[in-house]
Amino acid sequence: PEFLHANHTVSMLLQPKFKPALDKLMKLSLYDCGLQSLAGIEEGPDASQPPLFPKLEEIDLGRNPKLTNDSLPESFHTQFPNLLQLWMDDCSIGPSIPETMLRCGKLEVVRLTGNKLEGRLEDGIGMRFWNDIRVLALDGNKLTTLGRGLGRLRHLEKIHLRQNNVRELPDNFPGTPNLSLKMIGLSSNGL
């Protein structure tokens, strides 16, 4: 409810007077805050300005069902240069993963359970994006095909794909590079 009076954005948190504290922030939970937009986290008019969250390693934006692909500014990834964990369960991300989210280059844990992802999972995951991913949770979406890049993920330990419409696994997944793989969840699909 704290965010409902501020046009359903994080603008009340992102005031200039809070910048010194945000510089040190390592974890941020905005779970179930009724957010409709992440407007305000984008870069300022001067591209040389430092990011708002230079040390942030974990962000939980889950259970904000009005957060969509359009809710994320294009510069989302630039504000979290050290982000390791991104939780966005039970939002409305889809039908594909926004590129600005894919460009968060250091991610190790991504949770997009219960969103609106459809069709083919991005081929670039494991090739151009998220090369260091350890846990990928995509349960409860409408994915039908998995990207070929999954077979290249050397650090992948767990992949959660329950309750999708996956009909087959790519020829290269699980593959030789997936030596860290400990768990694949594929129940309630169309294999």
Side-chain angles (χ1 to χ4, degrees):
E2 296 84 2
F3 296 93
L4 297 181
H5 71 280
N7 299 324
H8 303 278
T9 71
V10 291
S11 59
M12 72 173 289
L13 179 65
L14 303 177
Q15 298 174 31
K17 65 182 178 182
F18 298 137
K19 176 76 173 116
L22 296 178
D23 280 347
K24 297 173 182 76
L25 198 66
M26 294 183 74
K27 295 181 182 183
L28 175 62
S29 177
L30 294 168
Y31 180 86
D32 196 18
C33 286
L35 295 175
Q36 293 179 8
S37 173
L38 295 178
I41 65 160
E42 61 269 15
E43 289 181 283
D46 181 2
S48 66
Q49 290 179 327
L52 282 173
F53 302 97
K55 294 187 179 178
L56 196 74
E57 293 180 355
E58 299 177 27
I59 188 167
D60 186 348
L61 296 165
R63 202 166 190 180
N64 284 291
K66 293 185 179 179
L67 284 182
T68 66
N69 290 26
D70 294 334
S71 301
L72 303 177
E74 288 183 27
S75 61
F76 176 82
H77 64 284
T78 65
Q79 298 307 309
F80 310 102
N82 291 301
L83 193 64
L84 300 176
Q85 295 191 30
L86 174 61
W87 293 53
M88 288 191 78
D89 294 331
D90 303 315
C91 293
S92 293
I93 300 299
S96 60
I97 300 171
E99 184 171 342
T100 191
M101 198 183 289
L102 290 168
R103 291 178 66 190
C104 291
K106 295 184 179 181
L107 285 175
E108 295 178 357
V109 176
V110 174
R111 294 193 50 90
L112 289 166
T113 297
N115 275 274
K116 297 186 177 190
L117 299 174
E118 298 178 7
R120 182 178 195 84
L121 179 64
E122 167 66 50
D123 272 329
I125 295 173
M127 296 202 267
R128 293 186 319 272
F129 308 115
W130 300 351
N131 292 317
D132 296 325
I133 202 84
R134 290 184 303 105
V135 177
L136 183 57
L138 301 167
D139 297 325
N141 284 285
K142 294 180 181 176
L143 295 170
T144 57
T145 310
L146 303 178
R148 295 175 292 122
L150 293 180
R152 297 182 180 189
L153 292 169
R154 294 176 300 149
H155 306 289
L156 185 65
E157 296 173 11
K158 297 179 182 179
I159 185 164
H160 302 270
L161 294 161
R162 295 172 301 139
Q163 298 175 333
N164 276 284
N165 298 318
V166 177
R167 293 184 180 86
E168 63 184 2
L169 297 178
D171 290 340
N172 70 338
F173 182 76
T176 306
N178 299 130
L179 294 176
S180 299
L181 196 59
K182 297 176 184 171
M183 195 280 299
I184 303 174
L186 286 166
S187 59
S188 301
N189 274 284
L191 294 171

